[in-house]
Amino acid sequence: MTYVEEVKAAVKKRNAGQPEFMQAVDEVLNTIKPVAESDPVYKHNAVLERVTEPDRQIMFRVPWTDDNGNMRINRGYRVQFNNAIGPYKGGLRFHPSVDLSIIKFLGFEQIFKNSLTGLPIGGGKGGSDFDPKGKSEREIREFCQSFMTELSRHIGADTDVPAGDIGVGGREIGYMFGQYKRLKNLYEGVLTGKGLTYGGSLVRTEATGFGLVYIVENMLEAAGDGIKGKTVAISGSGNVAIYAAQKATELGGKVVTMSDSNGWIYAPDGIDLDIVKDIKEVKRGRIREYAERVSSAEYRTSGKVWQVKCDVALPCATQNELDLNDAKTLIKNKVKAVGEGANMPSTTDAVNAFQAANVLFMPAKAANAGGVAVSALEMSQNSQRLSWSFEETDGKLKQIMNGIFTKTAEAADMYAKHGDYVSGANIAGFLKVAQAMISQGV
C-alpha cells in the first residue's frame, strides 16, 4: 500500500460518517500523489497525516431567546485546521445543514486555497446549524452575540480571523464584531467582511465573484479564447453569483440564469443585475420575483440551471450541486469552461466527466479564492490603519488571481498534465504548506 493510500485509509477510519470531509480529502490526496510519493521527506515528517488532522476542533452550545421568550439551543463550531503559513483564516456559515463534516471539509479546502493566494494565512472554518431565514433582527443579533461570547475565547487578530460565508453577511459580522469588542476591550481586525465605517475593505463584497471571473478569463485566454460573446449560466443568487454575473457582463458575456433554494430563472436576453440586487440585497426576497418583474424571463421550480445551453458554467450556490448528469448535459451542449464559485459544488464524478471531455475546469480552491484574498487584504489594512481605494484593492485582487492561475498552470504542467487545473491547484497549494510544516518541525 502506498503512503497516500495508507493515509486515506487511516483518515477514513478516524472520520467515519463525515462524507463531505472524506470527499475533500480523497480529491486532494489523489491529485498530490505524484509529489507526496516522490520524496520520503513527506512520509518521514508525517506531513499527510498532520495536514488531514485539524490542530483543534471546537464545538460549543449557543443558547439564545426567540421573540416569544423561548430558550433555543444551537451548536457552534470552529475548526482550526492548519496555521503553518499564518493565522487560521476562513468563514463562518450559519445554515441548518452545518455539521462537523461540512465544517471540516471547508476548513481542509481552506488550507490550500489560502496557500494559493500567496498571502500569510492558514486554514480554518466555523459556523452553526442556526438558520437566519425567517428570524427577526433581534433574534439574529442575540444569536450572533451568544455565538461570539464563546467563539471569542478561541480567536484573535494574530490567532484566528473568521469571515462570513453562507448565512453570514455584513449584518451578522457587525453584531459579532461588536460583541467581541465588548468582551475583549480590543479594537482589532479579528473579523473580516466588516462594514466600511469600522475597518472593512472595499471590494470585499464583490471579491469572490470578481475573482472567479478573473481566473476563468485567464483559463480561457490560455486556450486562445475569452468570455466576450459567451453565454454564461450561473447558479445561486448570493454575493458570489451576483458579482460573478456583474464581472462576466462587464467582460462581454451574457448571463442567462440564476437560482436560489426554491427555483431558478432563465433570462434569454441576459439578466438585469440591478433588479436582482434590489430583490436579493435590498428586499431580501426570492429569485422568482425577477420573473414577476421581467416579462421575458421564466421561473422554474424543476430541473436545474445546467440544462440551459451555455458556453461557461459557474456553480456559485453550494457543495455537490452539480452532479454527473448535469455534467453530461453541459458537455452535450458543448460547454467550454466551468469555474467553481462555491466550495466543492461539483461532485467527483462530474469533475472527472469534465476532464475526460477536455472541458476547461477551474476548481474552487483556485477559482473562489478571491474572497479570502481580499479578506487578507482587509487584515493588512487593519494592521496598518489604512484604507485602500476600490481601484487599488480590485487591482490587487486581479493580480492575486492572475498569480493563482500561473501557479496552478505551472504545477499542472510540471507534475500532472497540461490543463489539469485540479491537480495543479492542489499541488501548488500543498507544496507551500508542506515546506512550512517541515521547516517548523512537529
Side-chain angles (χ1 to χ4, degrees):
M1 187 181 289
T2 67
Y3 176 41
V4 166
E5 294 303 319
E6 287 176 6
V7 173
K8 283 171 58 179
V11 174
K12 185 174 184 179
K13 183 178 180 180
R14 181 176 286 178
N15 299 279
Q18 297 181 6
E20 294 86 0
F21 176 54
M22 283 310 308
Q23 181 183 342
V25 169
D26 282 345
E27 188 250 350
V28 171
L29 295 191
N30 288 339
T31 52
I32 67 171
K33 191 173 182 178
V35 174
E37 304 284 0
S38 68
D39 191 331
V41 70
Y42 298 114
K43 184 172 184 178
H44 177 71
N45 287 276
V47 170
L48 297 187
E49 291 92 334
R50 289 158 62 193
V51 84
T52 53
E53 182 68 19
D55 290 345
R56 61 193 59 83
Q57 305 173 57
I58 303 156
M59 290 197 298
F60 50 93
R61 182 179 67 234
V62 187
W64 57 282
T65 307
D66 66 23
D67 286 340
N68 295 319
N70 299 312
M71 180 66 72
R72 307 278 290 275
I73 302 295
N74 285 96
R75 178 175 284 178
Y77 302 87
R78 188 65 181 174
V79 173
Q80 296 173 332
F81 227 111
N82 188 291
N83 66 350
I85 61 174
Y88 305 106
K89 186 85 191 77
L92 298 169
R93 175 176 294 191
F94 292 170
H95 192 272
S97 67
V98 165
D99 60 19
L100 187 58
S101 176
I102 286 177
I103 295 300
K104 286 175 67 176
F105 120 64
L106 292 168
F108 183 68
E109 292 275 294
Q110 202 79 42
I111 300 169
F112 309 102
K113 180 192 303 185
N114 293 358
S115 174
L116 282 170
T117 67
L119 300 169
I121 43 177
K125 205 74 180 184
S128 173
D129 55 5
F130 173 78
D131 188 358
K133 288 182 182 175
K135 303 294 191 300
S136 70
E137 194 77 14
R138 190 207 64 81
E139 289 174 324
I140 289 171
R141 182 178 66 247
E142 180 164 324
F143 175 83
C144 289
Q145 290 173 341
S146 180
F147 182 86
M148 180 51 76
T149 297
E150 176 61 32
L151 185 65
S152 64
R153 304 166 188 264
H154 311 289
I155 62 175
D158 295 311
T159 302
D160 183 352
V161 183
D165 194 82
I166 293 171
V168 178
R171 172 181 58 178
E172 291 77 16
I173 291 290
Y175 291 146
M176 287 189 281
F177 181 76
Q179 183 72 350
Y180 180 89
K181 186 160 58 76
R182 281 188 289 274
L183 292 167
K184 296 289 189 178
N185 194 27
L186 283 174
Y187 200 108
E188 62 178 6
V190 70
L191 291 164
T192 56
K194 300 185 293 297
L196 294 175
T197 57
Y198 60 99
S201 175
L202 291 164
V203 191
R204 180 59 190 91
T205 302
E206 298 86 352
T208 309
F210 278 18
L212 167 63
V213 176
Y214 287 147
I215 202 167
V216 169
E217 179 78 339
N218 289 153
M219 181 170 65
L220 285 165
E221 286 176 349
D225 208 339
I227 288 176
K228 187 175 182 180
K230 300 292 189 296
T231 299
V232 182
I234 293 178
S235 65
S237 52
N239 274 358
V240 183
I242 288 172
Y243 292 100
Q246 179 174 315
K247 184 56 65 174
T249 302
E250 289 174 5
L251 294 179
K254 182 171 73 170
V255 178
V256 295
T257 69
M258 294 184 85
S259 66
D260 61 21
S261 57
N262 291 341
W264 56 284
I265 55 169
Y266 172 52
D269 299 328
I271 283 175
D272 185 331
L273 273 176
D274 289 336
I275 296 175
V276 173
K277 288 180 181 180
D278 180 60
I279 293 168
K280 303 301 291 189
E281 296 183 337
V282 179
K283 297 177 179 174
R284 299 180 185 271
R286 309 303 292 169
I287 201 66
R288 69 171 180 272
E289 296 168 33
Y290 185 93
E292 295 166 3
R293 292 167 62 170
V294 179
S295 60
S296 61
E298 304 172 26
Y299 176 68
R300 303 175 184 177
T301 55
S302 61
K304 298 182 183 178
V305 300
W306 315 123
Q307 68 194 53
V308 173
K309 188 171 183 178
C310 64
D311 304 302
V312 177
L314 304 177
C316 298
T318 191
Q319 67 267 8
N320 291 327
E321 59 168 294
L322 196 162
D323 60 24
L324 179 59
N325 288 332
D326 300 323
K328 288 179 176 177
T329 300
L330 286 163
I331 292 164
K332 181 181 177 182
N333 287 335
K334 296 182 168 51
V335 69
K336 291 179 168 58
V338 178
E340 294 190 311
N343 290 302
M344 204 170 71
S346 309
T347 65
T348 302
D349 288 341
V351 175
N352 292 339
F354 287 132
Q355 292 187 309
N358 294 318
V359 172
L360 298 172
F361 183 86
M362 188 59 67
K365 60 176 61 67
N368 77 6
V372 75
V374 173
S375 280
L377 296 180
E378 182 177 329
M379 291 166 65
S380 296
Q381 292 171 80
N382 292 167
S383 295
Q384 299 175 76
R385 302 294 191 267
L386 295 175
S387 181
W388 300 330
S389 70
F390 189 98
E391 292 73 21
E392 184 177 4
T393 311
D394 188 35
K396 291 178 186 293
L397 168 63
K398 189 171 185 179
Q399 185 178 19
I400 290 168
M401 299 311 296
N402 291 347
I404 291 173
F405 176 76
T406 299
K407 283 181 277 192
T408 298
E410 288 177 350
D413 289 343
M414 185 175 297
Y415 297 103
K417 66 177 182 178
H418 181 73
D420 182 358
Y421 300 122
V422 174
S423 295
N426 287 331
I427 291 169
F430 169 76
L431 284 171
K432 180 179 179 181
V433 173
Q435 288 160 9
M437 291 171 69
I438 293 167
S439 297
Q440 295 168 24
V442 179

